[in-house]
């Protein structure tokens, strides 16, 4: 099984992915966590953050997921996943693929103060920010949507509910 957790920077992808991994382990199901930033580190941080570089990183992650999936290893992946074409590939090529979309606006993320990149973009200090000058293609048909607009408590409850559904389907 591959669980693809997507959303903007600061939407809660890593938090959700770690919670899902914990749930897998609680059910005695080994799992590998792939985070977009960690994969960049594994490959020597040889990519920037342009749209092209982001698509290359996503391609690497898709390949890693495919390799692990072919060996029946569960994977939870936290990735921006800006391209619907990438997500379509995953759905067509990965066994038991599940997509979780964290739906939250740049304005809400910026107001929380968890990511300074959006302020930096508005102030002209940076570029190549998904949701600003790089388009984020919202998913066409995610399996689950978490509207991360409320409290952290809501995020935890919704993630726990999704974990139970995913793990019960995978028995």
């Amino acid at each position: 099984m591959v669980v693809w957790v997507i959303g903007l920077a600061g939407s809660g992808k890593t938090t959700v992915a770690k919670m899902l991994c914990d749930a897998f382990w609680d059910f005695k199901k080994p799992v590998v966590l792939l985070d977009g930033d960690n994969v960049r580190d594994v490959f020597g941080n040889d990519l920037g953050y342009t749209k092209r570089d982001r698509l290359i990183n996503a391609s690497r992650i898709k390949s890693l997921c495919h390799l692990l999936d072919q060996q029946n290893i569960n994977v939870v992946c936290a990735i921006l996943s800006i391209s619907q074409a990438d997500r379509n590939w995953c759905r067509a090529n990965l066994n038991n693929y599940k997509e979780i979309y964290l739906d939250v606006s740049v304005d809400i993320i910026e107001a929380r103060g968890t990511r300074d990149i959006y302020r930096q973009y508005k102030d002209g200090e940076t570029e190549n920010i998904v949701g600003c000058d790089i388009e984020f293609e919202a998913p066409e048909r995610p399996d689950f949507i978490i509207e991360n607009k409320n409290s952290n408590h809501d995020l935890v409850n919704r993630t726990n509910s999704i974990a139970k559904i995913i793990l019960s389907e995978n028995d």
Side-chain angles (χ1 to χ4, degrees):
M1 169 181 285
V2 175
V3 182
W4 198 256
V5 182
I6 64 173
L8 295 174
S11 63
K13 295 181 303 296
T14 300
T15 299
V16 168
K18 287 178 179 177
M19 288 178 62
L20 290 170
C21 284
D22 289 345
F24 270 83
W25 287 110
D26 288 346
F27 277 75
K28 309 291 187 240
K29 295 178 183 275
V31 64
V32 173
L33 172 62
L34 294 179
D35 185 281
D37 291 333
N38 294 343
V39 171
R40 285 175 177 276
D41 290 343
V42 167
F43 284 93
N45 288 308
D46 62 338
L47 297 173
Y49 292 90
T50 64
K51 182 176 181 177
R52 178 183 175 278
D53 287 343
R54 290 175 185 278
L55 292 172
I56 290 169
N57 196 49
S59 181
R60 289 174 176 176
I61 293 169
K62 289 184 320 190
S63 295
L64 286 170
C65 285
H66 190 257
L67 173 69
L68 294 168
D69 185 47
Q70 292 300 305
Q71 297 176 52
N72 295 314
I73 297 171
N74 296 307
V75 180
V76 174
C77 182
I79 179 174
L80 274 162
S81 192
I82 63 174
S83 166
Q84 183 61 47
D86 284 343
R87 296 186 296 267
N88 290 344
W89 184 93
C90 289
R91 199 167 293 282
N93 293 283
L94 300 174
N95 296 311
N96 203 4
Y97 170 79
K98 301 292 182 191
E99 190 174 286
I100 301 173
Y101 171 44
L102 281 86
D103 183 10
V104 59
S105 71
V106 168
D107 291 336
I108 290 173
I109 296 168
E110 187 178 22
R112 288 179 181 156
T114 55
R115 286 295 178 111
D116 204 33
I117 59 172
Y118 300 111
R119 183 206 49 83
Q120 291 172 344
Y121 175 79
K122 286 180 179 178
D123 291 347
E125 298 171 14
T126 192
E127 58 185 8
N128 296 318
I129 305 301
V130 175
C132 296
D133 59 341
I134 295 178
E135 179 187 5
F136 175 79
E137 296 175 16
E140 293 174 356
R141 57 183 200 269
D143 297 286
F144 303 95
I145 298 173
I146 298 175
E147 292 184 355
N148 189 10
K149 300 172 184 172
N150 300 312
S151 70
N152 195 47
H153 181 72
D154 291 336
L155 177 66
V156 168
N157 286 340
R158 183 72 175 122
T159 302
N160 286 334
S161 296
I162 290 170
K164 287 177 186 172
I165 293 167
I166 288 173
L167 289 164
S168 69
E169 290 176 354
N170 196 31
D171 276 340

